[in-house]
Amino acid sequence: MDERLERYVTELFAAEDPVLAAVLRRHADLQLPPIHISPDEGKLLYVLLRAAAATTVLELGALAGYSGIWIARALPPHGRLTTIERDPRHAALARQAFAEAGLAERVRLVEGAALDVLPTLAPGFDAVFVDADKEPLAQYFEWSMRLLRPGGLLLCDNAFFHGAAVDAADRSAQAEGVRAFNRLAAADPRLAATIVPVRDGLLVGVKIR
Ligand code: DHB
Ligand code: MG
């Protein structure tokens, strides 16, 4: 999206509060990779989760907690975000962010590699947000479908992967992973899906059977 239009959407619909602003400032100060979602993408996640009346959400890749705050805020007080983070430094920052946002009770952060944690989780999630490493995305797709309830939302960040999704010359494991996830989502008869061109592309699907 044109940067001016993105700013227009953000200022109108996703203006940052002090808590989110502090999380992003800390993120930048610590020179963490600048790969967190954008405010307009956060608002889209929030709207979708409210539309689905989601109470239980699974996130793969907490990073420093920015997306987790948008997600957890969309849930009712008794709702629960389960978020998986492999990097202990990121996990500590995410915990701090959830506490500062008053959301600690609503979030369960599980430290570990997603492929180790996923087999320990009970199915039935109202939504899954995939935003972790890209190579294993085909496996993340299968796990997400297994853990989603019928009618649940499948959400996946970086569907375009900076344009690599359509760059046939990019044979990197990351680009292949992104393309594999998109292909699986498009072809799976259990899913109705598309890609919303927000930031780096947000794949949105609903498990229809
Ligand atoms: C990258 C970007 C992301 O948003 C992400 O979740 C993972 C990786 C990247 O640019 O490499
Ligand atoms: Mg991402």
Side-chain angles (χ1 to χ4, degrees):
M1 201 185 346
D2 181 292
E3 243 173 68
R4 283 167 58 239
L5 293 175
E6 196 171 294
R7 201 155 46 235
Y8 176 72
V9 174
T10 300
E11 284 170 6
L12 251 187
F13 294 100
E16 239 144 32
D17 56 88
V19 172
L20 286 173
V23 170
L24 287 191
R25 207 174 316 115
R26 194 156 55 226
H27 193 111
D29 289 347
L30 294 171
Q31 300 186 337
L32 300 187
I35 57 172
H36 54 76
I37 63 167
S38 55
D40 57 324
E41 185 177 5
K43 183 61 180 286
L44 176 58
L45 292 175
Y46 179 92
V47 170
L48 291 169
L49 294 170
R50 290 295 297 248
T55 54
T56 58
V57 178
L58 171 64
E59 178 182 58
L60 278 58
L63 195 53
Y66 181 77
S67 53
I69 291 176
W70 278 104
I71 293 169
R73 281 180 174 173
L75 310 181
H78 64 280
R80 172 57 64 98
L81 165 66
T82 302
T83 184
I84 305 172
E85 177 53 50
R86 181 176 58 186
D87 184 322
R89 184 159 163 259
H90 295 167
L93 288 165
R95 280 208 178 84
Q96 183 184 350
F98 299 139
E100 287 170 1
L103 294 164
E105 309 256 284
R106 218 179 285 177
V107 182
R108 175 183 170 222
L109 193 152
V110 186
E111 272 188 65
L115 289 174
D116 294 332
V117 176
L118 289 165
T120 71
L121 301 177
F125 287 95
D126 296 321
V128 177
F129 177 49
V130 181
D131 192 15
D133 50 335
K134 308 308 175 197
E135 299 93 319
L137 270 169
Q139 292 170 84
Y140 294 160
F141 178 85
E142 296 303 338
W143 275 110
S144 299
M145 291 301 286
R146 196 175 305 175
L147 293 171
L148 270 178
R149 68 162 169 84
L153 283 179
L154 177 64
L155 307 162
C156 184
D157 190 38
N158 311 103
F160 297 151
F161 205 50
H162 320 293
V166 292
D167 178 4
D170 189 339
R171 312 306 298 179
S172 68
Q174 289 97 327
E176 298 280 16
V178 169
R179 284 190 288 258
F181 191 102
N182 292 342
R183 271 197 312 270
L184 288 165
D188 196 314
R190 297 170 296 173
L191 197 70
T194 190
I195 293 172
V196 181
V198 63
R199 198 177 68 99
D200 195 21
L202 177 70
L203 187 141
V204 178
V206 58
K207 188 176 168 183
I208 53 178
R209 63 172 78 99

